[in-house]
Amino acid sequence: MTAAANPGFTPRIFSGIQPSGGLTLGNYLGALKRFVEKQDEGIETIYCLVDLHAITVWQDPAKLRHATREAAAGFIAAGIDPARSILFNQSQVGAHAELGWVLNCVARLGWMNRMTQFKDKAGKNSEAASLGLYAYPSLMAADILLYHATMVPVGEDQKQHVELTRDIAAKFNHDYGVSFFPAPAPVIEGAATRVMSLRDGTKKMSKSDPSDASRINLTDSADMIAAKIRKAKTDAEPMPEHLAGLKDRAEAKNLVNIYAALAGRTPAAVVHEFAGKGFGAFKPALVDLAVAKLGPISVEMGRLMADPAEIDRILGQGAERADAIARPILERTFEIVGMVRSR
Ligand code: AMP
Ligand code: TRP
């Protein structure tokens, strides 16, 4: 599936990250690093800090504001250039919530009931989850379709939501007899589309994990990165000769994938290089690589965070540029569904 599946639509990339806590190595390798690559390939790129999604579970207001600015600093420090990409926070462009409503009326309950992330996040007591958490994927569809985006770079866990977006777009087009929305393709590439916890190779690395040792945060100092990698769970076996030898070794495999993604190499090449060596030898190499790649990002984030007014200015300008694309598409949507637009 590529943009070629959307004749008549200009290739355009949209993606989002929730500013509900700090950015992790999982966000960096699964999303952010690839956002920068797409920008540098010269495709039109729109990146959004989805604060409306963040409040589907309660957020401390002061922390949310801080995390939104910090995530913006993380994007810029990682290489997003606000002059080349559009970088903004979702709530500053009202069209997201407006299209979200229209799409709530297109999406079917049966489709929403199949969303695995809702089940994970709502847990056992789903009656107590917010209505927003349930509708979350249809707001995500609005984020993407509002820009007629054709490609959506995400980590593995978001594939189902992008597929739902395609279903919503197709149903809208069918119900109203139009070819208005493209069918956006998930773009899931690289060695680290699912970075696992450093403490438990069966769990995704996540900003919401209660254990800070389970993740590397983009704000961690070099010493913290080193300590977390040294403590990361592994096994007593040496590195195998071939990648297949990591099959049932989730923690070891995760560290290899992280190394490969940070180095821009394949996991197979990394296994080959370290074949026969113990993880006692591999971990220091991973520490050096991680500190070399992530250290400068955390330093730059600190520098940017010293001037929050400048970050707000960048987000404001991004929101204006986003709005200029989104507004006409929203207006056309309202016309298609039969709303009187007289002002
Ligand atoms: P979130 O933090 O849930 O808003 O996720 C933002 C982006 O980061 C999405 O594209 C996710 O798929 C990606 N992402 C989050 N955690 C991971 C992880 N552990 N491994 C790979 N990608 C991830
Ligand atoms: N649901 C995504 C996540 O939790 C974040 C998100 C919201 C998103 N809107 C989006 C991702 C639009 C891609 C495109 O990771």
Side-chain angles (χ1 to χ4, degrees):
M1 271 175 288
T2 62
N6 286 299
F9 290 96
T10 317
R12 183 181 276 161
I13 285 185
F14 183 96
S15 197
I17 292 190
Q18 297 189 64
S20 49
L23 296 173
T24 69
L25 180 64
N27 292 134
Y28 178 66
L29 294 177
L32 198 43
K33 183 169 182 286
R34 297 170 44 231
F35 295 175
V36 176
E37 289 161 8
K38 296 294 171 202
Q39 164 192 276
D40 294 346
E41 283 168 22
I43 309 171
E44 190 178 355
T45 42
I46 306 175
Y47 297 125
C48 184
L49 306 170
V50 291
D51 47 12
L52 297 175
H53 279 98
I55 61 164
T56 56
V57 295
W58 189 81
Q59 303 291 328
D60 177 276
K63 284 190 186 150
L64 177 61
R65 226 177 330 268
H66 177 82
T68 304
R69 292 184 178 126
E70 193 177 80
F75 271 62
I76 298 165
I80 295 298
D81 172 0
R84 281 188 288 154
S85 292
I86 296 181
L87 174 62
F88 72 109
N89 60 310
Q90 190 182 26
S91 64
Q92 294 212 70
V93 178
H96 287 251
E98 292 177 73
L99 183 63
W101 180 259
V102 175
L103 299 187
N104 279 345
C105 302
V106 176
R108 303 290 96 180
L109 286 183
W111 301 357
M112 307 311 272
N113 287 337
R114 284 195 287 276
M115 295 295 115
T116 56
Q117 184 170 300
F118 174 77
K119 290 178 200 163
D120 290 348
K121 285 200 180 183
K124 286 200 183 71
N125 192 7
S126 64
E127 295 277 308
S130 73
L131 184 55
L133 188 66
Y134 190 66
Y136 175 117
S138 106
L139 179 61
M140 175 162 163
D143 298 340
I144 298 166
L145 297 176
L146 198 48
Y147 300 90
H148 281 181
T150 55
M151 287 170 284
V152 187
V154 281
E156 188 64 46
D157 63 328
Q158 294 302 313
K159 187 166 182 235
Q160 192 185 37
H161 289 160
V162 182
E163 281 165 357
L164 178 84
T165 302
R166 296 167 65 87
D167 290 342
I168 293 177
K171 182 163 166 59
F172 180 96
N173 287 344
H174 175 267
D175 288 357
Y176 292 100
V178 292
S179 313
F180 185 58
F181 288 124
V187 182
I188 301 170
E189 308 163 322
T193 55
R194 189 169 169 82
V195 178
M196 309 310 283
S197 156
L198 298 179
R199 309 300 308 157
D200 177 351
T202 64
K203 272 179 27 192
K204 192 183 78 160
M205 181 181 287
S206 161
K207 47 188 127 183
S208 57
D209 193 312
S211 160
D212 192 59
S214 71
R215 63 178 160 264
I216 292 174
N217 305 299
L218 281 196
T219 49
D220 285 349
S221 65
D223 285 350
M224 286 162 86
I225 295 172
K228 286 177 181 178
I229 292 176
R230 266 189 243 112
K231 273 206 317 200
K233 200 172 155 201
T234 38
D235 53 47
E237 299 295 312
M239 190 71 82
E241 296 293 324
H242 300 289
L243 192 56
L246 288 177
K247 192 169 157 282
D248 296 315
R249 298 172 61 190
E251 284 88 8
K253 188 173 176 187
N254 187 39
L255 295 185
V256 167
N257 286 346
I258 292 172
Y259 189 104
L262 284 171
R265 295 168 60 190
T266 64
V270 175
V271 167
H272 185 71
E273 182 186 335
F274 289 91
K277 296 198 175 126
F279 275 79
F282 179 74
K283 279 184 174 180
L286 180 57
V287 167
D288 287 349
L289 178 64
V291 167
K293 297 283 181 184
L294 304 177
I297 298 179
S298 112
V299 171
E300 179 63 4
M301 279 175 81
R303 197 188 66 76
L304 292 163
M305 283 301 280
D307 189 358
E310 173 62 8
I311 293 179
D312 290 6
R313 192 191 63 75
I314 290 169
L315 290 176
Q317 230 169 38
E320 271 178 36
R321 288 168 62 205
D323 190 69
I325 301 172
R327 223 0 94 181
I329 292 178
L330 178 72
E331 277 307 318
R332 182 75 193 112
T333 307
F334 278 142
E335 278 167 21
I336 290 170
V337 303
M339 306 299 185
V340 173
R341 308 299 280 173
S342 56
R343 66 172 194 106

